[in-house]
Each structure stands twice: as C-alpha cells, then as structure tokens.
Amino acid sequence: MKRLKIPFEIIVEITGRCRLVCEHCTSQRTPHVPLETVLGILDECASFGVKAIRITGGEPFLHPDIEKILNYAKDKKFMVLLNTAAENMSPSLLKNVVKNVDMLLVSLQGYSPRTNAAYTGSKSPYIDKLKNIFFLRSRLPSVVLATVITHDMTKSFAKFLPLVRKINPEAWTLLRPIDTMTDNIKRMDVAFYRALAVQIMKARQEKVNVFIANPIPMCITGDLRIGKQAFYGANLDDGHVRIVYSAEGYYKPSYFINTNLGNALKAAWAHPALKELDRTDYLPELCHQCPVLDTCRGGCRGMSLRAHGTPFSPDPLFDFASAQKALSKPYLNNPVR
Ligand code: SF4
Ligand code: SF4
C-alpha cells in the first residue's frame, strides 16, 4: 500500500501522568515531557508539512505548560486536536481550549457518576465533567466522545444513548480495547461484536453517529455494508497514516505498537518498520479478494501482536465463516461515512 509522503497527523503524548486508572490504560505514567521538547516537536512537524497535531497524554491537562503548548500549536497554524477526560478544568483552561482547539475528543467511560467512577477510578465530580463537555460542545467546532468498549457494552450501550443524544457530539466513537488476551478480552468475541454492531446500526438509523473507530475485521457481521457503517477500519491506526510521539521520548507507530522509530520525525516516517506494518501479504487468502481491504487492512495489528506474538498474523477476531459470507454478497464500493 502506498504511504503518504507526509503523515496525516502527529499525536504528541505530552505526559504519561493521569489521575485516572482505566482498565485498559497503556500509559507508562512517565513524567511530563519538557516544554522545550514539545515545542521542538511542533516546530519539526511544521517544517515537515504536517497539518494536524493531536495533543494527548496520559491526561494532557496535568502538564503544567498545557496552555503554552496549545497557544504555540495554534500559532503554528496546525489543526489542533486534543484528547482529554475533561475533568478539573479551570476557567482559564476552558477559555484556552475554546481559543485554540479545533477538535476535542473526550473520553466518556460512564453514563452515571457510579459507572464513570467504577471504570476510571475518578474522584472528581462527574457533574463537573459533564458541565465542561456541554460548555465546550457549545463553543468548539467539533467535539467527539470516545468510549472504550467493555465486556458489558451490549447491555450498557442503551444506557449511554440518552446522554450521548443530549451532548449531541459530532461522533460517538467506540474503541475496541487493545490488550493481552485476558478473560474479559476473550469474552468480547465475534458474537459479542456482532451483537454490538446490531445496536450501533439501530442507533445510526436514529441519527446517532456512532461507530467503532479502531481496527476490527469489517466482515465480522457477515455483511460488508454493515461493516462499512459500524466500523471505521484500520486507516487511523498501526502507523498507516499517523504516528505517535511517545512521552517516553521517541516516535512509535501507534499507541499500541511501541517500536522505537527514533526521535527525528522525517526518519521515523521513513522507518522500514512502518512499511512492514503496511504489508498485507500474510493476511488470510479471503482478505486478498476483499473490496474493503484498503480500509480494513485485515483488522488490528496491535491485537494480532498480543494474540500471536507478531503483528504479521491474522486479527484474533478474524472469522473465516463470516468473511466467506460477507464476500459472497454483492458489494457496491459506496462508502457511507
Ligand atoms: S484517561 Fe487515558 S491515560 Fe488516563 S487512565 Fe484512562 S486511558 Fe489511561
Ligand atoms: S476479508 Fe479481510 S480485509 Fe475483508 S473485511 Fe474481512 S478481515 Fe477485512
């Protein structure tokens, strides 16, 4: 697959610190990246021609220089994206975010104070988080909600919906947890994701823009038309179109593939490990006949790595019978999103 000359976006982890303790968190809790280092990365991205910068963590609001970083990113004329739990925001920080951020991605792990605290361990008032979300939703061009899927999501999905409708985000993105094959991950099998896809499709028909935003085999329901709406595909992950500057001080392909690509952007983007991750020749034969291979890329390399010890192996959710069924139906290459 042809690589972009310039990455679509650079994700900058400005800190590994966070107040929360989410179940599937991969943050190494590394200290804040010094301000000069962050600004140096932004300079390097600007001179390489990168248009979009995503500031993340850990929790980026814990960085003592977060406001300076957002000001600097905006001054450099980047499209500024920011990932946060939106807790404990001072009036000054709220104002700064409104001034500088183009797209805010807010994690939403509960539909009530109890469920939020149960997943994240948050000690902050849930109502304050919601107030921040509503305030920012009414002032920013784009607010997206992000919920890591839990093993009880097929039951809790409907409970999230009234709140999601009220917030009315640009999108509600569900994230497949990328983790070792724990019992909970094993419970989230093909049948689980099929059941979740049914609920996603129903909500989409009711005008809620919800989908699974990270890689998953798009044939899992046996119908690629559903796959194309309920699942975003793999393009944003696994180092295909964007990479991450890790709070540990080097570029890596994605949040979940920790290969050290060095600390210079141009060399990192040309690193042979990324070209390897673009390969598809090791995927099951059916993938090579698939009309959505370019979007799906056979699923998640991060999960293949955790399940089989190598990213160059089938996604553990790849299901031959579903793929065969999906590919036996006529498919019009007609992207919905
Ligand atoms: S908010 Fe993010 S960084 Fe913090 S614990 Fe949850 S997943 Fe980890
Ligand atoms: S056949 Fe392969 S490429 Fe096609 S949707 Fe399934 S996993 Fe993805």
Side-chain angles (χ1 to χ4, degrees):
M1 294 189 180
K2 213 166 169 225
R3 288 194 71 73
L4 299 175
K5 282 206 175 87
I6 297 165
F8 170 77
E9 166 186 311
I10 296 296
I11 300 163
V12 188
E13 296 176 349
I14 63 171
T15 182
R17 299 261 161 85
C18 186
R19 295 185 195 91
L20 307 182
V21 285
C22 303
E23 184 183 335
H24 298 292
C25 183
T26 52
S27 170
Q28 297 302 310
R29 312 282 156 159
T30 37
H32 306 312
V33 179
L35 176 65
E36 314 76 67
T37 307
V38 178
L39 302 190
I41 294 162
L42 297 184
D43 288 340
E44 195 187 20
C45 289
S47 31
F48 195 43
V50 174
K51 298 279 182 266
I53 288 290
R54 182 179 297 268
I55 303 294
T56 187
E59 170 51 69
F61 290 163
L62 291 182
H63 196 293
D65 296 309
I66 179 66
E67 296 198 28
K68 284 184 194 151
I69 292 167
L70 293 176
N71 288 341
Y72 196 80
K74 200 63 195 169
D75 287 350
K76 286 265 163 191
K77 307 215 180 316
F78 288 118
M79 178 179 178
V80 180
L81 303 97
L82 177 70
N83 293 6
T84 177
E87 292 192 346
N88 301 79
M89 293 183 71
S90 67
S92 151
L93 182 56
L94 280 164
K95 212 167 142 195
N96 185 288
V97 169
V98 170
K99 183 171 79 145
N100 292 316
V101 172
D102 298 290
M103 203 280 272
L104 186 79
L105 183 138
V106 185
S107 61
L108 185 75
Q109 284 305 138
Y111 49 82
S112 66
R114 181 189 58 77
T115 52
N116 180 59
Y119 185 88
T120 64
S122 174
K123 300 204 179 356
S124 306
Y126 182 64
I127 187 73
D128 290 352
K129 173 184 172 100
L130 292 186
K131 277 185 194 157
N132 292 339
I133 295 175
F134 281 108
F135 177 86
L136 294 166
R137 175 69 188 104
S138 66
R139 285 163 178 83
L140 288 177
S142 170
V143 171
V144 168
L145 300 175
T147 304
V148 177
I149 298 166
T150 51
H151 67 273
D152 58 358
M153 192 79 200
T154 48
K155 293 195 189 91
S156 59
F157 184 92
K159 296 181 183 158
F160 273 96
L161 271 179
L163 177 59
V164 171
R165 282 207 175 89
K166 230 184 217 170
I167 296 170
N168 191 23
E170 185 176 329
W172 179 28
T173 57
L174 304 182
L175 300 168
R176 174 186 178 189
I178 310 301
D179 204 345
T180 48
M181 298 303 282
T182 59
D183 287 346
N184 274 346
I185 293 285
K186 285 184 194 154
R187 284 163 78 184
M188 292 186 239
D189 57 7
V190 174
F192 168 87
Y193 280 105
R194 267 192 209 130
L196 188 56
V198 170
Q199 300 195 51
I200 291 173
M201 291 303 288
K202 188 163 173 281
R204 290 186 62 82
Q205 277 156 15
E206 292 162 5
K207 307 281 178 240
V208 179
N209 185 20
V210 52
F211 51 90
I212 295 181
N214 56 351
I216 188 164
M218 292 171 75
C219 53
I220 207 167
T221 64
D223 188 334
L224 290 178
R225 286 166 308 176
I226 293 176
K228 205 73 203 246
Q229 294 187 61
F231 311 132
Y232 191 83
N235 277 337
L236 289 179
D237 288 82
D238 298 330
H240 299 312
V241 298
R242 60 181 190 173
I243 55 175
V244 179
Y245 182 85
S246 163
E248 291 167 75
Y250 53 86
Y251 286 97
K252 60 184 181 181
S254 73
Y255 296 117
F256 305 106
I257 299 183
N258 203 22
T259 310
N260 186 335
L261 305 173
N263 55 15
L265 175 57
K266 203 171 167 191
W269 188 241
H271 198 286
L274 294 180
K275 292 193 182 109
E276 281 288 289
L277 284 168
D278 284 347
R279 280 174 46 209
T280 52
D281 55 299
Y282 56 86
L283 290 175
E285 187 49 42
L286 280 173
C287 296
H288 299 286
Q289 308 157 25
C290 180
V292 302
L293 174 62
D294 276 1
T295 312
C296 173
R297 299 185 186 232
C300 180
R301 303 282 65 81
M303 277 311 287
S304 301
L305 174 66
R306 282 155 181 83
H308 307 298
T310 167
F312 309 114
S313 56
D315 187 306
L317 284 176
F318 178 80
D319 177 61
F320 183 83
S322 305
Q324 205 171 35
K325 188 171 166 202
L327 267 61
S328 69
K329 293 181 185 167
Y331 173 75
L332 211 53
N333 197 359
N334 181 13
V336 179
R337 201 168 291 112

